[in-house]
Amino acid sequence: MFQYTGYILAGVGGTVAITVAAFAIGALLGVPLAVASRSGHRLVRWPAISVIEVLRSVPNLVWLFLVFFGLPEVGIRLGPWATAILTLGVTSSAYLAEIYRGGFSGLGQGQWLASKALGLTTWDRGRHVLAPQLARVVSPTMATYAISLLKESALASTIGVVELTFRGGLVSQRTGDGLTTFVVVGVVYLLLSLPLAYTSRRVDSRLRAKFSVG
Amino acid sequence: MGPDRRAGAAFLEASGVTMRFGDHVAVRDVTLSLARGEVVSIIGPSGAGKSTFLRCVNLLEIPEQGSLRVGDTSLTVRPGAKPREKDIQPLRRKLGMVFQNFNLFPHLTVLRNVSLAQERVLGRSRAEAEARSMSLLDRVGLAGKAGAYPGRCSGGQQQRVAIARALALDPAVMLFDEPTSALDPEVGAEVLAVMKELAGEGMTMLVVTHEMAFARDVSDRIVVMVDGAVVEAGEPRQVMSDPSHPRTRSFLSAVLGR
Ligand SMILES: Nc1ncnc2c1ncn2[C@@H]1O[C@H](COP(=O)(O)OP(=O)(O)O)[C@@H](O)[C@H]1O
Ligand SMILES: [Mg+2]
């Protein structure tokens, strides 16, 4: 089986690509979603909250199948890669929006009052006061989410995306050695997530040494 | 040079300010004016609406109605018509504010705390802003803390930084909301000393305070608020030794313990 290790490792790129792309989409789309979900206007807030709840309540696997097998029936046809990246990206935006929301409420109202009293514009308050503190508050939770998204990316194998897990499946069928094959696949996921967890801890404790927020 | 008290010489004027939270009237038709260089203390029991009134003055709270003027900049808020940010800005720029909880930006060093708004609001260059910040930090005795984060400063130091941060924008009037209430008395004294110096230099100041000694010794006038309204105003000694309103009397006997 070990002669196939190289074939399995060739899936790392695909797994990382799905994770990074979906995370980037989610991190970006999550910002307007989080802001809208805290809006003072009901007509803005309610749709945003509904979108977040719907996205989070349906399993990612069901979303993937819906997009991959369902949308072609209404004429929208996406390839497996595009389906995986867009679907996981959009559902991530809901989870990340919730993480941002949590960060917002952790920041004291005093920060907002003080920056207003200084005459900073809404943009400057967001850019120089809110965002940096928010980044500090939410980055550990975001790193945790990135690790879970890395694992969720394995779902893409079910719609034929040839990434790590898909390759593991092929190898185990070919060799009949599912045990060794999926231990190798599991170890690869572990090795991918460890540096993420380590870096996040390091960055967090370094920032914590300088200042704490909220 | 004492405050300019000629009739009609009001420099800060708030009139008919009313603020409601739901059904609760937090500030009830309050009218107050300060001459240039005058120091006025607002005292009164907790929940009287002192903080809310102060926040109405620089429009951190938008009052239900009322008129505000500082120098030649004015704004009138009518019921149901929320003023726009760009109408609020000119008034706010003339007012510096210091909060009970300091509210320094924890992610910025002391120097950056004092410099940020100078650069973003006044358009000063970084070098220009930081030079001004250093001279103000020096003045409040904290030049040595310029590179520190607020979390590494004591409460009294943080509040002095907050004063420098507000002064850095060259306000015409300084608003203080119980600046020493979150501090131990000895530490509060450092802050009061800075405020006293500022008053001595002719700064116009509106100070919500529980420090009766400051109200009596530093301010030109005391205003007493109870249940959202001004019940009494006058010379500090007169208000403190011979209050005319029963609520002032009971408030004073509670805080002065007599
Ligand atoms: N954001 C708010 N929402 C609702 N009620 C408030 C709010 N801020 C203050 N109040 C109420 O308004 C009244 C005046 O409060 P405040 O101005 O803080 O009084 P003071 O500063 O004199 O202690 C209090 O009854 C308080 O509960
Ligand atoms: Mg108060």
Side-chain angles (χ1 to χ4, degrees), chain A residues 109-125 127-130 132-133 136 208-214, chain B residues 55 58-61 85 89 92-93 95-97 99 102-108 113 116-117 120-121 149 151-152 165-166 169:
Chain A
Q109 203 216 356
Q111 292 291 303
W112 207 241
L113 286 178
S115 50
K116 262 190 172 178
L118 289 169
L120 293 171
T121 59
T122 310
W123 168 257
D124 281 338
R125 293 203 295 271
R127 163 78 184 74
H128 294 283
V129 178
L130 193 63
Q133 294 190 58
R136 167 68 192 80
R208 202 178 288 275
K210 280 206 231 163
F211 64 87
S212 65
V213 168
Chain B
R55 289 204 292 262
N58 69 352
L59 295 136
L60 290 181
E61 301 279 8
E85 197 75 7
Q89 280 307 347
R92 218 179 248 163
R93 281 198 190 181
L95 299 159
M97 185 158 190
F99 300 86
F102 334 131
N103 295 339
L104 293 182
F105 304 132
H107 62 297
L108 299 177
N113 261 278
L116 177 67
R120 307 303 308 173
V121 179
Y149 285 89
R152 291 276 177 274
R165 179 174 72 172
L169 301 177

